[in-house]
Amino acid sequence: MARRIGPLAVLLAATVATVVYAESHTVSQKAKAFSVSSLTVKPGETLTFKNDDEITHNVFSSTKGMEFNLKAQPPGGSAQYFFPAEGVAEVRCAFHPAMKLTVTVKK
Ligand SMILES: [Cu+2]
């Protein structure tokens, strides 16, 4: 009897692992600052940048191999990005040089 249950248990475990992997993260921008100064995500996980400020921001990274640019985000706007590979990205705002966020992408 136990041998019949075995393969099903393995299948269920694999399904649960897939769901856990698809975790999403949100970083907001308010008072010309990111809501966190550092963040660790896994490759492929969705990272949402939300502008909770009353001014426009432009989130980007020019770290080699980790480049992206969300372009201008008006107040209330949000955009999503995911890092495809491991690395450490220094994320900044093109309009406000004091805004800094370090994103560590690790499996
Ligand atoms: Cu900004």
Side-chain angles (χ1 to χ4, degrees):
M1 202 57 163
R3 283 182 185 170
R4 285 186 184 177
I5 295 167
L8 181 62
V10 170
L11 185 66
L12 286 174
T15 304
V16 169
T18 302
V19 171
V20 169
Y21 182 77
E23 194 181 340
S24 63
H25 307 265
T26 299
V27 176
S28 61
Q29 301 127 59
K30 194 157 192 177
K32 293 186 186 177
F34 289 110
S35 54
V36 291
S37 59
S38 66
L39 184 69
T40 300
V41 302
K42 290 186 172 78
E45 283 185 338
T46 303
L47 190 46
T48 301
F49 290 92
K50 193 171 184 306
N51 185 353
D52 283 332
D53 229 331
E54 293 171 0
I55 51 176
T56 298
H57 293 292
N58 182 347
V59 178
F60 77 100
S61 175
S62 56
T63 301
K64 199 163 186 259
M66 308 289 282
E67 298 93 340
F68 73 96
N69 189 343
L70 298 182
K71 306 284 176 63
Q73 283 183 279
S78 70
Q80 294 183 321
Y81 184 74
F82 68 88
F83 291 94
E86 289 184 294
V88 178
E90 287 300 325
V91 177
R92 311 293 290 269
C93 172
F95 303 144
H96 309 106
M99 292 176 66
K100 293 176 187 175
L101 165 67
T102 303
V103 179
T104 301
V105 186
K106 201 176 175 201
K107 284 177 188 168

